């Protein structure tokens, strides 16, 4: 009720302006907003012991990458009730991203974005995370999503992933390699088996030094579902924690950019369901982290019923506000308790 009124005002303005201003406010007044969200929205959903939970999250709901790229509002996500936040995408150097406007809202709870990884770069993001971890009272975990700078050639791209992994992994509870954003030219061409194998090979040494759960974030746009089969091979070969499925889709008629939210759901769900089944058969101990179009408690329940564990949220939070978190987690508790 409160959010539907607030949304009427917020949605009068440019989406990126509102996003930016909200993060600035959260950053400037962390105590005020934390206690507000804690008081009005937080719920105490707990993982029960029989559930798989290798990342040791307090609950399975994670803020998706892109919402807090620079880790400026970490206490706020914790106060809203998330079990973790995926910061980023973070690149080695700061960059501005693509030309504005670059986020568009549709009436049916769908977003189109062509951000192109605007971020403060790995050094600044690392200090923000370090500050949060130092002062942290609570239990929220921080995943870090890493990518390449726009100006780094595709031939040198592995070096960007190596640098960001080396620098950021000591602060991360998990790391996600992003090879699936449609907004950095050529990035999606990295999502093939041979490039990924080479990249993971290069990361072996850094991972020995700083062993952190490692995920690959994939897009929903490969031609056939069986084109995703190589992921279970790589996951086993390099002992990854699993796959984040999926990023936005570039299968639309609005020019450049990626679609998230309601119009992504079917496509993303097909990939997720396929991966869940495929992983169940080939490497059942690995994780498929779900994201893409899930915005109603029943979407999450369906994911959990199919064997999914961790799930992320972005567009649904923008359209429905933080009240959605409690509703989603309620279905998780019901499922876990076997109701
Ligand atoms: C404005 C915007 C920016 C995003 N930025 C990133 C990003 O930097 N890195 C990334 O891996 N995904 C990014 N995403 C994709 C989300 O993490 C998520 O995969 C996608 O939005 C689908 O989830 P949803 O339907 O719940 O929004 C972005 C999405 C939006 C809407």
């Amino acid at each position: 009720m409160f959010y539907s009124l607030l949304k009427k005002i917020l949605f009068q303005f440019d989406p990126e302006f509102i996003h930016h201003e909200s993060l600035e406010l959260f950053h400037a007044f962390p105590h005020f907003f934390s206690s507000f969200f804690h008081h009005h929205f937080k719920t105490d959903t707990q993982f029960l012991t029989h559930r798989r939970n290798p990342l040791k999250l307090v609950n399975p709901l994670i803020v998706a990458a892109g919402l807090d790229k620079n880790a400026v509002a970490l206490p706020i996500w914790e106060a809203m009730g998330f079990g973790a936040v995926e910061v980023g995408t973070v690149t080695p150097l700061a960059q501005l991203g693509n030309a504005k406007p670059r986020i568009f809202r549709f009436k049916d709870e769908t977003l189109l974005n062509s951000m192109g990884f605007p971020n403060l770069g790995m050094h600044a993001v690392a200090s923000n995370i370090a500050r949060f971890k130092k002062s942290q009272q609570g239990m929220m975990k921080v995943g870090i999503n890493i990518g390449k700078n726009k100006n780094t050639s595709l031939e040198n791209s592995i070096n960007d992933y190596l640098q960001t992994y080396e620098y950021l992994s000591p602060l991360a509870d998990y790391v996600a390699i992003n090879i699936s954003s449609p907004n950095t030219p050529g990035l999606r061409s990295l999502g093939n088996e041979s490039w990924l194998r080479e990249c993971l090979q290069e990361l072996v040494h850094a991972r020995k030094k700083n062993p952190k759960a490692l995920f690959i974030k994939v897009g929903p746009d490969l031609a056939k579902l069986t084109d995703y089969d190589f992921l279970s091979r790589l996951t086993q070969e390099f002992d990854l924690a699993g796959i984040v499925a999926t990023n936005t889709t570039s299968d639309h008629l609005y020019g450049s950019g990626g679609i998230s939210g309601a119009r992504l759901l079917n496509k993303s769900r097909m990939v997720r369901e396929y991966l869940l089944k495929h992983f169940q058969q080939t490497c059942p101990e690995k994780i498929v982290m779900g994201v893409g179009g899930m915005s109603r408690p029943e979407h999450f329940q369906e994911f959990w019923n199919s064997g999914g564990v961790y799930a992320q949220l972005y567009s649904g939070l923008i359209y429905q506000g933080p009240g959605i978190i409690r509703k989603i987690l309620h279905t998780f508790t019901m499922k876990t308790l076997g109701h």
Side-chain angles (χ1 to χ4, degrees):
M1 180 65 185
F2 164 76
Y3 190 73
S4 57
L5 284 175
L6 180 66
K7 198 168 88 172
K8 284 208 169 80
I9 302 166
L10 298 181
F11 276 31
Q12 301 294 317
F13 296 91
D14 170 69
E16 188 169 351
F17 171 77
I18 291 298
H19 187 169
H20 183 259
E21 294 307 306
S22 309
L23 288 181
E24 289 282 302
L25 278 174
F26 293 165
H27 184 61
F29 304 104
H31 299 300
F32 172 78
F33 284 103
S34 293
S35 49
F36 174 80
F37 286 119
H38 187 89
H39 185 69
H40 291 283
F41 295 102
K42 186 133 182 179
T43 175
D44 279 325
T45 306
Q46 298 281 324
F47 261 101
L48 297 188
T49 44
H50 68 275
R51 273 257 161 186
R52 274 195 307 159
N53 183 13
L55 299 177
K56 301 197 169 33
L57 306 195
V58 288
N59 71 58
L61 195 59
I62 302 176
V63 179
L67 196 55
D68 190 1
K69 289 171 184 288
N70 296 311
V72 295
L74 299 180
I76 308 301
W77 313 121
E78 171 145 39
M80 281 186 191
F82 285 99
V85 52
E86 190 169 311
V87 161
T89 296
V90 188
T91 54
L93 302 174
Q95 61 178 25
L96 292 171
N98 295 328
K100 294 178 187 173
R102 52 195 181 177
I103 309 181
F104 303 90
R105 296 185 202 101
F106 294 87
K107 287 220 163 61
D108 62 348
E109 301 199 5
T110 295
L111 293 171
L112 172 67
N113 94 84
S114 54
M115 302 292 280
F117 302 162
N119 77 104
L120 298 174
M122 62 183 187
H123 296 103
V125 176
S127 343
N128 288 344
I129 300 171
R131 201 173 319 116
F132 171 72
K133 293 238 158 183
K134 219 164 149 193
S135 67
Q136 196 180 9
Q137 308 286 311
M139 303 285 289
M140 189 186 72
K141 305 282 184 188
V142 180
I144 306 182
N145 176 306
I146 57 176
K148 71 175 266 304
N149 275 115
K150 187 178 180 185
N151 290 338
T152 304
S153 67
L154 290 178
E155 297 76 61
N156 293 330
S157 54
I158 289 179
N159 195 41
D160 280 12
Y161 290 92
L162 182 60
Q163 275 188 64
T164 43
Y165 186 91
E166 280 176 338
Y167 197 76
L168 295 167
S169 59
L171 291 163
D173 294 298
Y174 75 86
V175 176
I177 295 180
N178 183 7
I179 37 89
S180 51
S181 163
N183 302 315
T184 293
L187 194 81
R188 281 196 168 183
S189 70
L190 306 180
N192 63 68
E193 184 165 4
S194 69
W195 184 89
L196 272 167
R197 176 167 279 114
E198 207 183 316
C199 180
L200 292 168
Q201 200 65 53
E202 288 292 318
L203 287 179
V204 165
H205 182 67
R207 288 180 67 204
K208 274 208 184 103
K209 217 166 140 203
N210 270 308
K212 290 293 159 79
L214 186 62
F215 291 82
I216 297 172
K217 182 164 179 183
V218 299
D221 295 326
L222 295 188
K224 316 185 291 302
L225 288 172
T226 47
D227 290 346
Y228 288 91
D229 288 356
F230 76 94
L231 292 168
S232 74
R233 280 198 291 281
L234 289 183
T235 300
Q236 292 170 87
E237 198 176 320
F238 290 94
D239 195 21
L240 306 183
I243 302 296
V244 183
T246 71
N247 213 314
T248 55
T249 174
S250 36
D251 181 11
H252 58 79
L253 303 172
Y254 304 101
S256 58
I259 287 279
S260 60
R263 289 188 218 172
L264 171 64
L265 178 63
N266 283 341
K267 204 158 197 213
S268 189
R269 177 163 55 194
M270 257 168 30
V271 174
R272 263 193 307 274
E273 293 280 327
Y274 181 79
L275 282 172
L276 280 168
K277 277 207 192 87
H278 188 65
F279 273 43
Q280 200 57 50
Q281 287 155 7
T282 53
C283 48
E285 73 288 1
K286 303 296 181 186
I287 299 274
V288 176
M289 200 183 275
V291 57
M294 290 191 281
S295 64
R296 301 274 184 279
E298 53 271 27
H299 302 153
F300 290 86
Q301 186 149 34
E302 178 191 73
F303 175 68
W304 285 317
N305 286 342
S306 316
V309 181
Y310 304 121
Q312 302 187 345
L313 178 69
Y314 190 135
S315 306
L317 185 66
I318 305 298
Y319 282 95
Q320 294 179 52
I324 183 76
I325 299 163
R326 185 179 290 171
K327 291 183 196 148
I328 294 168
L329 289 177
H330 182 62
T331 72
F332 180 73
T333 320
M334 297 217 308
K335 162 73 182 135
T336 344
L337 293 172
H339 284 221

